PDB file of all heavy atoms in Angstrom:
ATOM      1  N   SER N  35     -17.283  13.055  10.956  1.00 97.00           N
ATOM      2  CA  SER N  35     -17.434  12.562  12.330  1.00 97.00           C
ATOM      3  C   SER N  35     -18.066  11.172  12.350  1.00 97.00           C
ATOM      4  O   SER N  35     -17.704  10.331  13.181  1.00 97.00           O
ATOM      5  CB  SER N  35     -18.276  13.502  13.180  1.00 97.00           C
ATOM      6  OG  SER N  35     -18.365  14.764  12.610  1.00 97.00           O
ATOM      7  N   ARG N  68     -21.257  23.262   7.707  1.00 96.00           N
ATOM      8  CA  ARG N  68     -20.040  22.896   8.452  1.00 96.00           C
ATOM      9  C   ARG N  68     -19.746  21.415   8.373  1.00 96.00           C
ATOM     10  O   ARG N  68     -18.822  20.919   8.991  1.00 96.00           O
ATOM     11  CB  ARG N  68     -20.165  23.347   9.913  1.00 96.00           C
ATOM     12  CG  ARG N  68     -21.315  22.728  10.640  1.00 96.00           C
ATOM     13  CD  ARG N  68     -21.430  23.241  12.077  1.00 96.00           C
ATOM     14  NE  ARG N  68     -22.730  22.868  12.610  1.00 96.00           N
ATOM     15  CZ  ARG N  68     -23.109  23.070  13.861  1.00 96.00           C
ATOM     16  NH1 ARG N  68     -22.297  23.643  14.711  1.00 96.00           N
ATOM     17  NH2 ARG N  68     -24.303  22.688  14.264  1.00 96.00           N
ATOM     18  N   ARG N  70     -18.777  17.986   6.160  1.00 97.00           N
ATOM     19  CA  ARG N  70     -18.225  17.445   4.922  1.00 97.00           C
ATOM     20  C   ARG N  70     -18.730  16.029   4.725  1.00 97.00           C
ATOM     21  O   ARG N  70     -18.609  15.186   5.617  1.00 97.00           O
ATOM     22  CB  ARG N  70     -16.700  17.452   4.984  1.00 97.00           C
ATOM     23  CG  ARG N  70     -16.035  16.809   3.761  1.00 97.00           C
ATOM     24  CD  ARG N  70     -14.530  16.978   3.782  1.00 97.00           C
ATOM     25  NE  ARG N  70     -14.147  18.373   3.776  1.00 97.00           N
ATOM     26  CZ  ARG N  70     -14.061  19.117   2.672  1.00 97.00           C
ATOM     27  NH1 ARG N  70     -14.308  18.564   1.496  1.00 97.00           N
ATOM     28  NH2 ARG N  70     -13.726  20.379   2.745  1.00 97.00           N
TER      29      ARG N  70
ATOM     30  P    DT O   5     -22.043  20.158  21.706  1.00 60.81           P
ATOM     31  OP1  DT O   5     -23.127  19.172  21.892  1.00 60.81           O
ATOM     32  OP2  DT O   5     -20.749  20.025  22.389  1.00 60.81           O
ATOM     33  O5'  DT O   5     -21.783  20.300  20.145  1.00 60.81           O
ATOM     34  C5'  DT O   5     -22.885  20.614  19.294  1.00 60.81           C
ATOM     35  C4'  DT O   5     -22.406  20.790  17.872  1.00 60.81           C
ATOM     36  O4'  DT O   5     -21.599  21.985  17.753  1.00 60.81           O
ATOM     37  C3'  DT O   5     -21.553  19.644  17.349  1.00 60.81           C
ATOM     38  O3'  DT O   5     -22.109  19.257  16.104  1.00 60.81           O
ATOM     39  C2'  DT O   5     -20.163  20.254  17.178  1.00 60.81           C
ATOM     40  C1'  DT O   5     -20.510  21.717  16.905  1.00 60.81           C
ATOM     41  N1   DT O   5     -19.471  22.725  17.234  1.00 60.81           N
ATOM     42  C2   DT O   5     -19.129  23.643  16.276  1.00 60.81           C
ATOM     43  O2   DT O   5     -19.616  23.666  15.164  1.00 60.81           O
ATOM     44  N3   DT O   5     -18.178  24.559  16.660  1.00 60.81           N
ATOM     45  C4   DT O   5     -17.552  24.637  17.885  1.00 60.81           C
ATOM     46  O4   DT O   5     -16.725  25.512  18.121  1.00 60.81           O
ATOM     47  C5   DT O   5     -17.951  23.646  18.848  1.00 60.81           C
ATOM     48  C7   DT O   5     -17.329  23.636  20.221  1.00 60.81           C
ATOM     49  C6   DT O   5     -18.881  22.732  18.480  1.00 60.81           C
ATOM     50  P    DG O   7     -17.824  16.859  10.295  1.00 60.81           P
ATOM     51  OP1  DG O   7     -18.315  16.394   8.994  1.00 60.81           O
ATOM     52  OP2  DG O   7     -17.662  15.948  11.417  1.00 60.81           O
ATOM     53  O5'  DG O   7     -16.450  17.614  10.019  1.00 60.81           O
ATOM     54  C5'  DG O   7     -16.536  18.663   9.059  1.00 60.81           C
ATOM     55  C4'  DG O   7     -15.426  19.632   9.304  1.00 60.81           C
ATOM     56  O4'  DG O   7     -15.275  19.934  10.687  1.00 60.81           O
ATOM     57  C3'  DG O   7     -14.063  19.126   8.847  1.00 60.81           C
ATOM     58  O3'  DG O   7     -13.702  19.856   7.684  1.00 60.81           O
ATOM     59  C2'  DG O   7     -13.139  19.456  10.004  1.00 60.81           C
ATOM     60  C1'  DG O   7     -13.962  20.439  10.822  1.00 60.81           C
ATOM     61  N9   DG O   7     -13.593  20.482  12.219  1.00 60.81           N
ATOM     62  C8   DG O   7     -13.901  19.594  13.210  1.00 60.81           C
ATOM     63  N7   DG O   7     -13.410  19.931  14.375  1.00 60.81           N
ATOM     64  C5   DG O   7     -12.739  21.127  14.128  1.00 60.81           C
ATOM     65  C6   DG O   7     -12.010  21.961  15.001  1.00 60.81           C
ATOM     66  O6   DG O   7     -11.811  21.814  16.216  1.00 60.81           O
ATOM     67  N1   DG O   7     -11.492  23.066  14.349  1.00 60.81           N
ATOM     68  C2   DG O   7     -11.662  23.325  13.011  1.00 60.81           C
ATOM     69  N2   DG O   7     -11.088  24.430  12.547  1.00 60.81           N
ATOM     70  N3   DG O   7     -12.345  22.558  12.173  1.00 60.81           N
ATOM     71  C4   DG O   7     -12.845  21.475  12.803  1.00 60.81           C
ATOM     72  P    DT O   8     -12.464  19.547   6.855  1.00 60.81           P
ATOM     73  OP1  DT O   8     -12.805  19.902   5.476  1.00 60.81           O
ATOM     74  OP2  DT O   8     -11.956  18.221   7.230  1.00 60.81           O
ATOM     75  O5'  DT O   8     -11.425  20.643   7.403  1.00 60.81           O
ATOM     76  C5'  DT O   8     -11.768  22.020   7.302  1.00 60.81           C
ATOM     77  C4'  DT O   8     -10.596  22.844   7.792  1.00 60.81           C
ATOM     78  O4'  DT O   8     -10.458  22.688   9.220  1.00 60.81           O
ATOM     79  C3'  DT O   8      -9.240  22.449   7.199  1.00 60.81           C
ATOM     80  O3'  DT O   8      -8.697  23.625   6.625  1.00 60.81           O
ATOM     81  C2'  DT O   8      -8.439  21.927   8.383  1.00 60.81           C
ATOM     82  C1'  DT O   8      -9.095  22.640   9.544  1.00 60.81           C
ATOM     83  N1   DT O   8      -9.021  21.995  10.878  1.00 60.81           N
ATOM     84  C2   DT O   8      -8.386  22.663  11.889  1.00 60.81           C
ATOM     85  O2   DT O   8      -7.855  23.750  11.737  1.00 60.81           O
ATOM     86  N3   DT O   8      -8.397  22.012  13.096  1.00 60.81           N
ATOM     87  C4   DT O   8      -8.968  20.792  13.387  1.00 60.81           C
ATOM     88  O4   DT O   8      -8.901  20.324  14.518  1.00 60.81           O
ATOM     89  C5   DT O   8      -9.614  20.142  12.279  1.00 60.81           C
ATOM     90  C7   DT O   8     -10.258  18.818  12.484  1.00 60.81           C
ATOM     91  C6   DT O   8      -9.613  20.764  11.080  1.00 60.81           C
TER      92       DT O   8
END
Side-chain angles (χ1 to χ4, degrees):
Chain N
S35 342
R68 60 182 166 175
R70 176 173 299 277

